[in-house]
Amino acid sequence: MMLSKRKFILALAGAAGMMLAGASAHAQSALDDIVKTKTIKIAIPTDYPPYGFVGLDMKPQGLDIDMASLVASKMGVKLELVPVTSANRIPALQTHKADLVISSLGKNAEREAVIDFSHAYAPFFQAVFAPASLPVKSWADLSGKTVGVTRGAMEDQELTKVAPTDVQIRRFEDHNATIAAFVAGQTQLVATSSAVADNMIRKNPQLAAEFKLLLKESPCFIGVAKGESALMAKVNEIILAAKNSGELDALSKKWLGRAAGDLPL
Amino acid sequence: MIEFSLWDILRNLLLALRWTAALSLVAFIGGGLTGALLLYARLAGGRVTDRLIGLYVQLFQGTPLLMQLFLAYFGIALFGIDVSAWTAAALALTLYTSAFLTEIWRGCVASVPKGQWEASSSLALSFVEQMRYVILPQATRVAIAPTVGFLVQVIKGTALASVIGFVELTKAGTMISNTTFKPFTVFGFVALLYFALCFPVSLTARYLERKTYGPRH
């Protein structure tokens, strides 16, 4: 019943070899795979209004989902949405769970080391928000206060850079937890995106929260796995065409209430 | 922005509850069967088998379930095998449950006095007969409480599958509360639904314990 030890090790090595062969066959062929299977897998957020959130039927909707459908329809393939959390966006790409990440992904040097970015497709900025009664004029004013932030999000890294050392940064697993903590008074300030903050302020007028300090202007880019240059060229072509035809502006107006503005290439 | 009424929230959570229940069932059944097989192998096998299974148990008891889920979802994908969130969650929870159950049950079997083994083998019972007629009836009674306690843990453990994007009760709660910005209402319902799932399991355990202990009092 038991395999001998040597046979077992050989079998293991064989299985590992087969898996690696399968993995290397994946490299550099994302576009071919998409064309062959007529399906594109796109990672989208489900907990980040207005970029990606659920409707009454629990189906995802939002700017990122519309952008994903736009890309899929321009490529003439079926769209398969892969819901991801903020921290899982890059692993999803690296492990081929998704061909593209359209999940309000900002660009920075650390991320550029592991994945490639397309042209920008939507505007986005992060800032620190707090009740109007809390006097905050500069970064130094944050001293000794508690700030909530979503772990692994852009604003986490930016805040860590600019905040004085005695700021208590509380990190939460998703934007909802971050906002919930701020609304519940567990943190005095919150560092988050304009989109999330707008929504939070509208739903909680009693907080009288307002914009305090700008963290970073960081538009959204589409993430592509490293080295997939053919797929990248195709995606960039679609973004440029959509930009020139005004489709990007229309998306931005529909979900963010303002034009896309001057997006970086 | 769309407004969720209370009924919309509850309705969607109830739909998601199906997945929590399904995931728990798969973990119970898959984990129970694997756990039982491992227990049998451990009792019947030699020292090497015992060590290997001991290692397996330590591996799953000594690492967080969250990591096991991540590894099952992203780790396997690195080898070019595409596992869905459902498969990864079911696999990780089954292995996790089997490791804990086999260890719990091993302890229960070990709690049966050695004299019972010796007496039954002196009656020329085979290993299977010893287990069937002497050891298991006594071990089962001891096993009920810890087994059910652990199963309730597993039900709540399925919440961790939300991190790999599997939409079960907790993930649905997060998604809805991110749209409605009513975390207290949404997570209040989520907690109630978990309770509604776990409480009957505990009640069953109480009933089973009473049934097996009863005649002795």
Side-chain angles (χ1 to χ4, degrees), chain A residues 19 47 56 88 97 174 176, chain B residues 12 79 83 163 174 177-178:
Chain A
M19 286 175 184
D47 51 9
L56 289 177
N88 286 352
K97 292 277 173 204
D174 60 37
N176 178 60
Chain B
N12 283 312
F79 292 109
V83 277
V163 296
T174 317
S177 102
N178 268 315

Side-chain angles (χ1 to χ4, degrees), chain A residues 230-260:
Chain A
L231 179 59
M232 173 65 87
K234 185 81 196 160
V235 169
N236 274 338
E237 186 188 306
I238 293 170
I239 295 178
L240 271 186
K243 191 175 178 180
N244 291 334
S245 69
E247 281 168 289
L248 286 191
D249 268 328
L251 271 186
S252 188
K253 277 202 188 103
K254 176 177 171 195
W255 295 104
L256 306 175
R258 61 194 167 109

Side-chain angles (χ1 to χ4, degrees), chain B residues 4-5 21 49 60 70 112 126 128 141 157 164 168 170 175 201:
Chain B
F4 277 66
S5 68
T49 326
F60 284 95
F70 268 127
V112 176
S126 70
V128 176
R141 202 156 49 210
I164 54 172
E168 40 64 72
T170 304
M175 280 156 57
V201 176

Side-chain angles (χ1 to χ4, degrees), chain A residues 19 23 41 46-47 49 53-56 58 61 83 85 88 91-92 95 97 174-176 179-180 199 202-203, chain B residues 1-4 8 11-12 70 73-74 77-79 83 163 171-172 174-181 187:
Chain A
M19 286 175 184
K41 289 180 289 182
T46 51
D47 51 9
F53 58 100
V54 290
L56 289 177
M58 296 300 274
Q61 52 174 305
T85 60
N88 286 352
T95 56
K97 292 277 173 204
D174 60 37
H175 295 291
N176 178 60
I179 294 299
N199 207 336
R202 207 172 47 236
K203 300 247 176 177
Chain B
M1 193 100 14
I2 339 125
E3 289 299 329
F4 277 66
D8 289 325
R11 182 171 56 94
N12 283 312
F70 268 127
Y73 188 59
F74 289 120
L78 276 181
F79 292 109
V83 277
V163 296
K171 179 73 182 171
T174 317
M175 280 156 57
I176 296 172
S177 102
N178 268 315
T179 307
T180 58
F181 286 87
F187 288 119

